[in-house]
């Protein structure tokens, strides 16, 4: 499948930089020629792209634009999957938690509790917006074992396949409430695994970063933008860091 990430188009082993895919460009992205012939599309959005940076509250305008474009793709007869972050962040916001409320002793339990609260609120918000455009949405919560266990992977594939036949748009997130190692699995990786599992033709990663840099440009002003990557070698792999929020 093709991956479009941070304004970078990856086809086979060659990565070429295209137009920066900031969120304001999502409508143009969804209507471009390279989407026309794609039958099955996975779109991933991260926590920071869902929220107002000033308050941490959900950005309903962004959400509405995203859902509208997904529904439009569904109306074109395409299979669409949304992989979303944001459950833990919304749980923290609902509980009015501060960073000092979470320590080494309660970190996992607190994040799981926040995920339980936030996932319900996040899905409720998505469902309200989806209902304005008629397509039905479904929630799928995945754990690492979903992919590692052959039977679970087969069952998950069948679930996705049946939802596609019914014209439903699956909304996927990690099941952070019942597992601990999923908390360390970022949704960029999750979306790639989902795309492979369902034989997607296109994976789009929506981010608040303009492209591939030698370092985090928000922390390092000397970080350099990398326009073209022709081979994924060790030097590029060493640039990888923990999630920047996306």
């Amino acid at each position: 499948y093709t991956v479009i990430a941070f304004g970078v188009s990856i086809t086979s082993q060659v990565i070429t930089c295209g137009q920066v895919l900031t969120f304001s460009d999502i409508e143009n992205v969804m209507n471009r020629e390279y989407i026309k012939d794609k039958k099955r599309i996975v779109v991933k959005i991260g926590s920071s792209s869902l929220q107002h940076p000033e308050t941490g509250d959900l950005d309903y305008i962004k959400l509405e634009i995203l859902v509208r474009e997904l529904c439009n793709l569904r109306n074109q007869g395409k299979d669409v999957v949304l992989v979303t972050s944001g459950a833990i962040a919304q749980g923290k916001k609902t509980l009015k938690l501060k960073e000092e409320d979470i320590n080494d002793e309660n970190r996992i339990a607190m994040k799981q509790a926040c995920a339980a609260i936030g996932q319900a609120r996040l899905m409720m918000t998505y469902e309200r917006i989806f209902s304005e455009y008629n397509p039905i949405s479904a929630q799928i919560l995945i754990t690492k074992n979903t992919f590692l266990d052959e039977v679970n992977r087969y069952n998950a594939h069948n679930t996705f396949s049946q939802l596609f036949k019914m014209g439903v748009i699956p909304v996927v997130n990690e099941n952070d409430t019942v597992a601990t190692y999923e908390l360390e699995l970022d949704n960029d990786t999750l979306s790639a695994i989902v795309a492979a599992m369902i034989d997607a033709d296109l994976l789009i990663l929506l981010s608040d970063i303009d492209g591939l840099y030698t370092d985090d440009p928000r922390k390092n002003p000397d970080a350099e933008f990398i326009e073209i990557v022709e081979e994924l070698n060790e030097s590029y792999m060493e640039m990888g860091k923990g999630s920047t929020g996306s």
Side-chain angles (χ1 to χ4, degrees), residues 55-209:
T55 64
D57 289 322
L58 288 175
D59 188 328
Y60 294 114
I61 294 178
K62 286 184 178 180
L63 283 172
E64 197 275 336
I65 293 173
L66 172 63
V67 170
R68 183 181 68 212
E69 294 302 322
L70 295 178
C71 292
N72 192 48
L73 290 175
R74 177 58 251 172
N75 288 346
Q76 295 174 35
K78 302 181 186 298
D79 298 332
V80 182
V81 175
L82 174 63
V83 177
T84 180
S85 302
I88 294 176
Q90 283 309 298
K92 287 181 179 178
K93 185 67 179 179
T94 301
L95 294 170
K96 297 181 173 58
L97 289 179
K98 300 178 181 179
E99 285 302 318
E100 53 265 31
D101 296 323
I102 302 176
N103 54 52
D104 291 339
E105 293 183 0
N106 66 15
R107 185 180 69 88
I108 296 297
M110 288 287 280
K111 286 190 173 183
Q112 288 177 314
C114 288
I117 295 168
Q119 182 63 33
R121 287 177 169 260
L122 185 63
M123 195 63 205
M124 180 177 63
T125 301
Y126 275 123
E127 180 59 29
R128 285 178 177 173
I129 302 175
F130 271 111
S131 65
E132 296 180 8
Y133 298 98
N134 291 328
I136 300 171
S137 62
Q139 175 180 262
I140 297 182
L141 298 179
I142 289 177
T143 68
K144 194 173 185 179
N145 195 49
T146 304
F147 307 112
L148 295 179
D149 184 86
E150 184 175 352
V151 174
N152 287 346
R153 186 170 64 251
Y154 175 79
N155 290 335
H157 182 275
N158 286 346
T159 299
F160 277 106
S161 297
Q162 186 58 45
L163 289 173
F164 292 146
K165 291 178 182 178
M166 299 167 69
V168 175
I169 298 178
V171 179
V172 180
N173 199 357
E174 303 167 82
N175 195 353
D176 294 329
T177 302
V178 298
T180 56
Y181 44 68
E182 273 69 35
L183 294 171
E184 308 302 328
L185 177 65
D186 67 85
N187 274 12
D188 289 339
T189 302
L190 176 64
S191 63
I193 295 173
V194 169
M197 182 177 68
I198 66 173
D199 299 318
D201 303 306
L202 181 69
L203 167 60
I204 298 176
L205 307 180
L206 301 176
S207 174
D208 56 1
I209 293 292

